[in-house]
Amino acid sequence: MTARAADRARYDRATAALDAPFALVDLDAFDANAEDLLRRAQGKPVRVASKSVRCRALLERVLARDGFQGIMSFTLAESLWLARSGFDDVLLAYPSADRAGYAELASDPKAAAAVTVMVDDVAQLDLIDAAREGGREVIRVCLELDTSLQLLGGRVRVGARRSPLHSPAQLAELARSVARRPGFRLVGIMAYEGHVAGVGDALAGRPLRSRAIRLMQAAARRELAERRGAAVRAVRAVAPELEFVNGGGTGSVQYTAAEDAVTEIAAGSGLYVPRLFDNYTSFRGRPAALFALPVVRRPGVGVVTVLGGGYPASGAAGRDRLPEPYLPEGLRYDPQEGAGEVQTPLLGSPADDLLIGDKVWFRHAKAGELCERFDVLHLLEGDTVTATVPTYRGEGHTFL
C-alpha cells in the first residue's frame, strides 16, 4: 500500500460517520508543516497569514507554538474582528478604503494598539484622516516596498503589481510624510516577494521553464536583498523606532530569513500545503487540508460523478487553479466538463472500484480559499476526528 493509499484508508475510517461534502484538516500534517516553517525561518518569528488559514481555532493553534508571532490579515474588517477576538498583533497586508472600519479603529484604543494598517500612498493617509469621525487614536502604519524585479530600465517587470514604492528613496519620502503627520506612527515595513515565494520552480514535465524560473528567482533574490537592505536603512533614518521588517512567504522562507534587514517572516499556505505548493525545490510539505465529495452517479465504465467540486482558486485562470482529485490516485477530470458547480465527472480506472456514497478526496489549489466553501473544518488526529471547528464562513464572516 502506498503512503497516499494509507492516508485514504485513514481518512475514510475516521470520517465513516460523516456525510460528504465536508472539509478536513490533518493536524499531524498541519503541525509538521508548522515545524518545517520554523526550521526554515532560522530563529526569526513567523507571522501567520490569515488569508491562508481562515479559521480562528487553527490560528490560535499555530500561534500557541514558540516561534510564531502575530497575524497578517487581509481586510480591515477582518483585522478589527480579530482584535476584538483577542489577537493583539495584527498587520493588515493590503491598503483599505473601509471608511467605517477606520472610524472604528481611530476611536477604539484596544484596536488601535493591536492593528497596523498598510500604506503606500499619501492619498491613503488622507482617506484615513477623513474617515476618523472624531476618533483620536494614533494609527499604526506599515509601508510596503514593491519587490518586483525590473530590468531594461523598467521595461521588463517580473512580480506582482502591488506598491508603487520601488526605490529606497520613494519609501523614505513616504516615511517622512507619515512622520510629519499627526495621528500616525510608522512602525513597520513589508516587502512580499510573490514571484519567489509564490511561484513553483519545479514544474512537472517542463524542465526548461523550471530552470528559467530558478534563474529568475536567484537574480530576483540577489537584487531584492540589496534593495530591501537599502530601503530599511533609509526608513530607519527617518523612523529609528521601527518595530519590524516583514518579508517572505511560504516558498521563500529560508532565503528571506537569511537577510539581516528582515526581522520577521510571513507564511500561511505552508500550513495547509495546497496543490500549488507541490512544485518547489526548496521545501516539501505534507498536504494537511482536503475536502471530500460523495460519489452520486456511475455513468459508465471508468467514470463516476461526485456532487459539487467547482471550487476554482483565484489568480489567472488555468488548469492549475482547479482542485486536484487526490484520492484514490489516478482520477482525472473529463476535459469536456472540468470541475462543475453541482456535479463533477471523474475519469480513470479507480472509478470502477467506487460505489455510490464513497468519498473522493480533493486538494484545493490555494490554501485558505477552501474555507470559503465550508462552514466547518473537521480536525483529524491520527485515526480520529477529535474536533469540529468553524471557518470564518461558519462564524458568519466572508470578508471578501
Side-chain angles (χ1 to χ4, degrees):
M1 181 182 291
T2 66
R4 278 174 61 172
D7 280 341
R8 181 194 174 201
R10 183 164 60 94
Y11 300 152
D12 284 345
R13 283 195 307 271
T15 64
L18 298 176
D19 287 333
F22 61 79
L24 179 83
V25 172
D26 183 341
L27 290 179
D28 296 337
F30 182 91
D31 291 343
N33 293 334
E35 284 302 311
D36 186 63
L37 288 172
L38 293 177
R39 176 189 62 80
R40 292 196 288 134
Q42 305 169 50
K44 291 187 177 178
V46 177
R47 185 180 291 274
V48 183
S50 63
K51 181 173 73 75
S52 301
V53 180
R54 301 192 204 196
C55 171
R56 278 200 302 167
L58 290 177
L59 289 172
E60 291 167 354
R61 182 184 183 91
V62 71
L63 286 169
R65 288 178 171 269
D66 290 341
F68 287 90
Q69 180 179 304
I71 290 175
M72 177 177 283
S73 58
F74 58 98
T75 74
L76 182 54
E78 179 212 12
S79 305
L80 294 168
W81 176 64
L82 290 171
R84 290 193 298 270
S85 301
F87 296 95
D88 61 4
D89 181 2
V90 182
L91 169 62
L92 175 56
Y94 306 88
S96 176
D98 180 355
R99 291 175 172 82
Y102 283 130
E104 180 179 344
L105 183 65
S107 62
D108 184 337
K110 179 181 176 182
V115 175
T116 302
V117 303
M118 192 63 59
V119 168
D120 59 32
D121 192 312
V122 171
Q124 293 154 357
L125 301 175
D126 295 339
L127 186 148
I128 295 170
D129 269 339
R132 285 179 181 269
E133 294 185 358
R136 296 181 178 276
E137 296 299 323
V138 172
I139 305 299
R140 293 167 53 86
V141 168
C142 178
L143 306 183
E144 181 169 3
L145 175 70
D146 172 44
T147 65
S148 64
L149 176 63
Q150 298 188 10
L151 306 171
L152 301 178
R155 292 191 295 276
V156 175
R157 175 194 179 98
V158 180
R161 296 184 181 276
R162 292 176 62 109
S163 170
L165 308 174
H166 186 77
S167 70
Q170 289 174 313
L171 204 68
E173 179 57 34
L174 185 55
R176 284 188 284 273
S177 295
V178 175
R180 289 192 296 262
R181 195 152 183 156
F184 295 92
R185 181 156 64 92
L186 178 56
V187 299
I189 297 171
M190 187 186 84
Y192 170 59
E193 56 269 34
H195 50 302
V196 179
V199 177
D201 63 348
L203 306 180
R206 306 185 70 180
L208 294 180
R209 179 165 177 77
S210 297
R211 177 167 172 74
I213 290 172
R214 287 194 290 274
L215 290 172
M216 175 276 292
Q217 290 179 339
R221 290 197 304 268
R222 289 192 298 270
E223 186 275 337
L224 179 59
E226 181 176 344
R227 180 161 52 89
R228 179 157 42 197
V232 171
R233 289 191 296 273
V235 172
R236 285 196 185 278
V238 178
E241 303 288 320
L242 206 65
E243 296 175 13
F244 64 85
V245 176
N246 181 282
T250 288
S252 67
V253 171
Q254 64 271 39
Y255 303 119
T256 310
E259 294 182 33
D260 291 338
V262 174
T263 66
E264 64 174 39
I265 308 300
S269 295
L271 296 168
Y272 287 165
V273 186
R275 63 168 296 198
L276 282 178
F277 285 85
D278 287 347
N279 304 318
Y280 285 77
T281 57
S282 61
F283 79 103
R284 288 286 183 273
R286 291 172 55 184
L290 306 99
F291 64 94
L293 300 180
V295 174
V296 292
R297 285 177 168 165
R298 290 169 50 88
V301 175
V303 56
V304 293
T305 301
V306 295
L307 181 68
Y311 308 153
S314 61
R319 292 177 59 85
D320 64 340
R321 302 290 142 166
L322 296 178
E324 175 193 20
Y326 184 58
L327 298 170
E329 297 180 69
L331 293 173
R332 64 186 186 279
Y333 292 116
D334 182 337
Q336 304 285 335
E337 298 193 48
E341 178 189 10
V342 176
Q343 68 169 33
T344 298
L346 298 169
L347 310 180
S349 58
D352 294 329
D353 296 323
L354 291 169
L355 305 176
I356 300 296
D358 283 351
K359 298 178 179 76
V360 175
W361 295 88
F362 290 75
R363 294 172 64 204
H364 201 263
K366 294 184 76 173
E369 293 181 19
L370 169 66
C371 294
E372 299 299 334
R373 300 289 180 170
F374 295 94
D375 291 342
V376 299
L377 298 173
H378 299 287
L379 305 184
L380 177 69
E381 295 187 76
D383 291 330
T384 305
V385 172
T386 56
T388 298
V389 297
T391 60
Y392 279 13
R393 169 177 157 162
E395 295 200 68
H397 295 288
T398 51
F399 292 109
L400 279 179

